[in-house]
Amino acid sequence: MHVRTSNVVTIERHILDQERQNPEATGQFSRLLYQIAYASKVINREVRRAGLIDILGGTGDTNVQGEAVQKLDIIAQETINDAFDHIGVLCCMTSEEVDDIISIPPQFDLGKYTLAFDPLDGSSNIAANVNIGTIFSVHRKITTGREGKEEDLLQKGRGQVMAGYVMYGSSTMMVYTTGKGVYGFTLEPSIGEFLLSHPDIRIPQRGSIFSCNMGNYRFWSEGVRKYVDDLTAVDAERGRPYSSRYIGSLVADFHRTLLYGGIFMYPMDYKDPKKPKGKLRMLYEASPMAMITEQAGGLATNGRDNILDVQPKSLHERTPLFIGSREEVAEAGRYIEQYG
Ligand code: AHM
Ligand code: MG
């Protein structure tokens, strides 16, 4: 059956509508969003073929064209880099896959934004066909001079002008915020367009699911252990025990938490008792997810402070993360305050 489509909101229509609401918009910002949508469609195509690479791509390490078969995370890295380096919108980038700050090549124009991204998060899950994703965070340049500097990337999450992720799952979705609510788009593969499927996503104030790597239980601080003991207590009146769900792919675990509520946590662990550490990265994992969460009415902390108010000190710095429904995240914070 042919369906009339005048009510369908493509990502392009959505971006243009948003741009019209801001008389000062120069179009750079819209360009950024288009490029993210474009890059994620390219990555999506590669992810969809991943399971076939061995049969379609020839044998061993080379594909039919005689080129080396690249790992998907490298393909994702290059795709995003190539989608953004020449469009005159960014002054620099940083990525989980690259140690140093990524400068814009001298032949291209510089812009007034920075981009931090995780090109393919959860990539250790690819072989098992588990959801993976791309995460991104955008800040405005704050230093003087045309070139972007590390300082432009090392900004608090509170200063983000855009944050989002793309999830390559049973369908491909892009979820983003520019500080005016959270929007979710689903890719219609037959026409290659992202269509608005989740206008104004709100996270429940309380949920009934917790999500963490329980294998680390004995490496957590007393406060975190006591909090999880409480979530798994038998106490029907207080809605316990909570259900446990853990995919081990941040985008997928976060997406479920955003839609259903509850808490996702990756606490600091004491595997090396002298050097406790979190796992997730501040700039392109915790910070963008925290902005989305707050925009959806939830909360994200490092156990003590709001993630969005923590000043990052290095590009690839790690942080503990407690994120999701307001009530659960605040409760986790109270346990940590009391027991450490
Ligand atoms: P990656 O960036 O190396 O893929 O690691 C990040 C991933 C997240 O997607 C996920 O939340 C976490 O690592 C899972 O870690 P663990 O296997 O320790 O539970
Ligand atoms: Mg990652």
Side-chain angles (χ1 to χ4, degrees):
M1 188 182 64
H2 174 66
V3 180
R4 302 292 296 272
T5 54
S6 59
N7 289 333
V8 172
V9 180
T10 62
I11 202 158
E12 182 165 356
R13 177 169 166 189
H14 182 80
I15 293 169
L16 285 172
D17 284 351
Q18 301 266 309
E19 195 181 306
R20 269 191 225 109
Q21 286 169 28
N22 177 4
E24 278 145 48
T26 59
Q28 284 205 17
F29 202 63
S30 303
R31 194 78 209 276
L32 257 175
L33 262 172
Y34 284 134
Q35 288 306 95
I36 289 169
Y38 163 73
S40 58
K41 283 190 241 177
V42 176
I43 297 170
N44 179 62
R45 181 191 62 192
E46 300 300 325
V47 168
R48 299 283 167 223
R49 291 180 68 244
L52 297 168
I53 279 183
D54 285 344
I55 6 178
L56 297 180
T59 52
D61 282 334
T62 51
N63 65 15
V64 278
Q65 284 88 31
E67 299 153 347
V69 174
Q70 276 181 314
K71 283 182 64 192
L72 267 180
D73 31 18
I74 305 300
I75 295 177
Q77 167 63 33
E78 291 179 356
T79 301
I80 297 179
N81 185 85
D82 298 352
F84 283 99
D85 64 358
H86 64 283
I87 59 167
V89 169
L90 299 179
C91 61
C92 59
M93 303 183 251
T94 184
S95 157
E96 178 165 337
E97 290 290 329
V98 180
D99 288 344
D100 291 330
I101 176 172
I102 306 172
S103 305
I104 303 300
Q107 67 269 34
F108 300 131
D109 288 341
L110 291 160
K112 59 182 178 190
Y113 294 105
T114 68
L115 175 69
F117 61 99
D118 187 348
L120 209 55
D121 185 66
S123 50
S124 62
N125 288 314
I126 292 171
N129 222 343
V130 166
N131 291 7
I132 46 184
T134 299
I135 312 172
F136 56 90
S137 158
V138 177
H139 278 92
R140 218 181 292 274
K141 183 176 192 304
I142 49 169
T143 62
T144 53
R146 292 182 60 246
E147 302 267 322
K149 306 184 185 70
E150 207 168 87
E151 211 183 315
D152 294 309
L153 289 157
L154 295 179
Q155 296 190 54
K156 290 181 186 170
R158 188 69 68 198
Q160 287 169 107
V161 291
M162 174 162 44
Y165 60 87
V166 180
M167 182 170 75
Y168 314 99
S170 49
S171 58
T172 295
M173 274 199 75
M174 175 164 159
V175 173
Y176 85 93
T177 180
T178 57
K180 293 186 198 119
V182 180
Y183 297 94
F185 294 79
T186 303
L187 184 66
E188 210 309 7
S190 65
I191 55 170
E193 286 273 11
F194 278 106
L195 306 179
L196 184 62
S197 52
H198 296 64
D200 197 18
I201 299 176
R202 305 292 301 166
I203 185 169
Q205 290 301 292
R206 177 175 280 282
S208 55
I209 300 173
F210 75 106
S211 183
C212 56
N213 184 341
M214 280 297 281
N216 288 334
Y217 180 88
R218 280 168 215 279
F219 298 121
W220 292 334
S221 68
E222 193 185 346
V224 175
R225 278 184 278 129
K226 282 206 153 61
Y227 175 54
V228 170
D229 291 346
D230 179 33
L231 292 176
T232 51
V234 180
D235 184 348
E237 242 164 65
R238 292 176 60 240
R240 269 88 169 144
Y242 272 48
S243 283
S244 157
R245 296 279 184 279
Y246 190 68
I247 299 167
S249 197
L250 176 64
V251 173
D253 282 315
F254 176 76
H255 187 68
R256 184 200 53 245
T257 306
L258 184 66
L259 296 185
Y260 297 169
I263 185 169
F264 168 87
M265 35 189 169
Y266 208 108
M268 186 180 271
D269 65 53
Y270 290 76
K271 286 193 184 106
D272 175 351
K274 283 187 229 113
K275 270 199 252 157
K277 65 177 177 80
K279 175 176 185 190
L280 299 175
R281 314 294 183 131
M282 185 60 157
L283 290 186
Y284 38 76
E285 293 179 329
S287 179
M289 294 315 201
M291 181 180 185
I292 294 170
T293 305
E294 254 197 40
Q295 281 295 315
L299 181 64
T301 74
N302 60 10
R304 295 175 192 279
D305 306 310
N306 191 312
I307 286 284
L308 296 174
D309 296 323
V310 177
Q311 173 64 48
K313 296 192 182 61
S314 65
L315 294 180
H316 303 291
E317 137 181 349
R318 297 171 193 270
T319 175
L321 179 63
F322 298 79
I323 193 165
S325 295
R326 252 175 199 281
E327 292 186 17
E328 276 88 347
V329 175
E331 223 158 54
R334 286 195 287 277
Y335 271 95
I336 291 168
E337 200 179 347
Q338 190 174 352
Y339 300 101

